[in-house]
Amino acid sequence: MIIEGKNIDDSVIAKVLTDLWAPLTDEQRQYLIDHITLKDYKRNEMIYTEGENPTSLFCLIKGKVKIVKEGIGGRHQIVRMVKPHSYFGYRAGFMDEAYTTSASAIEASQLGLIPISVVKYLITENNQLAICFIKHLANLLGRADEQTVNLTQKHIRGRLAEALLRLKDKYGTESDGKTLNIRVSREDLASMSSMATCNAIRTLSAFAEEELVILDGRRIAINDEEKLKSISVCG
C-alpha cells in the first residue's frame, strides 16, 4: 500500500522529520513533506536488494528492519539493525552506485520514502543540511569501525552478549523491563554475532543455564544485564 505524501497526517510527518532536517526553512520543509511517500512492508519482505540502483532515502516509521551483506559462499551477515525514526539506504544514492547491501522487514513495518533527487536538491540549497548528513554518516562509520573490531577480536560469548545488549539499546524492552522488544531468530542472532547458528544456540543456552537470560521461543529476556555487560567488555 502506498499513500502519497499529501495524505500523511501530522503525527507521521513528525516521525519522519527528525533532527536531521532541523536546518530546513519552512519552504524547504514543505517541499520535503510534499515528496514523502509511505509504504507498508510485510514480515520478511525485501525493501531493497544488493545490486539494485537506489532511488529513495528510507525512514523507518514503525517496525524493525535489518541491513544484510552477502559474503563468501552466499552467507549473509547482518551489518545493522534499524530502529524506528532512523534513516538508511541513502549512502549508495549519494555515491551514484548500486546498493552493496540488502534490507528487509523483520516484522510488519511502515517506511517513509524520500526520493534521492529531492534530498540532493535540498542539500544544494541548504549547506547546514549537508553538515547534518556528514555527521550522521560519520557516526555510522564510527559504529561500524567499533563493530568490526568487536566481531574480529571478541570470543563467542562476548560477541553474543554484545548482540543482545545492542538489541536492547535499539528496541528497548517490554513492560517487564527485561524481555527484548523484538522477536529475533537464532539465525539472525548468529549473523549479528558473526558465528555459526549452532554456536549461537549453544552459547545462548549456556547463558540461560547461567540465568543471564530467560528464553521462551524467540522471546529473550535479559535477566542479568550487568553480567552480560561484563562478558561483552571482557570478550
Side-chain angles (χ1 to χ4, degrees):
M1 178 179 69
I2 299 178
I3 307 175
E4 294 303 327
K6 62 182 179 180
N7 295 324
I8 303 175
D9 62 46
D10 291 341
S11 64
V12 174
I13 290 295
K15 294 175 182 178
V16 177
L17 298 182
T18 62
D19 291 344
L20 182 65
W21 306 99
L24 295 181
T25 66
D26 290 343
E27 183 179 354
Q28 291 167 347
R29 182 178 294 262
Q30 188 58 52
Y31 177 79
L32 176 65
I33 291 173
D34 290 342
H35 288 84
I36 295 174
T37 299
L38 290 190
K39 187 172 182 179
D40 292 333
Y41 291 85
K42 299 177 182 178
R43 180 174 177 266
N44 294 327
E45 185 176 356
M46 297 301 299
I47 298 167
Y48 65 79
T49 58
E50 192 169 340
E52 282 185 1
N53 291 319
T55 58
S56 300
L57 173 152
F58 300 95
C59 176
L60 178 60
I61 296 171
K62 61 181 179 181
K64 299 174 180 68
V65 168
K66 61 182 177 182
I67 310 296
V68 177
K69 173 69 177 174
E70 184 173 341
I72 298 173
R75 181 179 176 183
H76 291 83
Q77 176 80 43
I78 295 178
V79 296
R80 186 155 62 99
M81 304 286 280
V82 183
K83 63 180 180 181
H85 312 163
S86 296
Y87 291 90
F88 65 98
Y90 60 87
R91 187 205 64 83
F94 283 175
M95 290 293 294
D96 293 320
E97 64 180 25
Y99 286 117
T100 58
T101 59
S102 300
S104 62
I106 299 175
E107 62 183 37
S109 302
Q110 185 178 66
L111 275 66
L113 282 63
I114 303 172
I116 289 292
S117 59
V118 169
V119 179
K120 288 183 176 180
Y121 167 76
L122 290 172
I123 286 176
T124 60
E125 293 293 309
N126 192 314
N127 292 337
Q128 289 304 309
L129 179 61
I131 296 297
C132 287
F133 270 98
I134 290 171
K135 288 181 177 179
H136 189 261
L137 285 168
N139 180 49
L140 292 178
L141 180 59
R143 292 184 181 182
D145 288 345
E146 181 179 356
Q147 185 173 332
T148 297
V149 173
N150 290 338
L151 291 178
T152 55
Q153 295 188 3
K154 287 185 178 181
H155 295 295
I156 285 177
R157 284 172 62 87
R159 299 204 300 269
L160 186 61
E162 181 185 336
L164 293 172
L165 293 170
R166 201 158 64 236
L167 288 173
K168 180 179 183 294
D169 180 61
K170 285 278 186 182
Y171 301 115
T173 60
E174 296 181 1
S175 58
D176 62 3
K178 292 184 176 183
T179 303
L180 297 178
N181 191 27
I182 181 174
R183 304 293 175 263
V184 59
S185 68
R186 301 301 188 260
E187 291 80 9
D188 281 352
L189 198 56
S191 180
M192 288 181 62
S193 309
S194 190
M195 65 177 73
T197 302
C198 59
N199 287 334
I201 293 173
R202 186 161 50 247
T203 306
L204 192 62
S205 296
F207 282 177
E209 291 175 3
E210 297 167 37
E211 299 184 347
L212 304 179
V213 300
I214 300 172
L215 305 179
D216 180 12
R218 291 192 176 189
R219 291 164 57 90
I220 301 175
I222 295 179
N223 195 47
D224 193 335
E225 185 172 351
E226 291 306 312
K227 184 64 180 296
L228 278 181
K229 288 181 178 178
S230 177
I231 293 172
S232 175
V233 170
C234 294

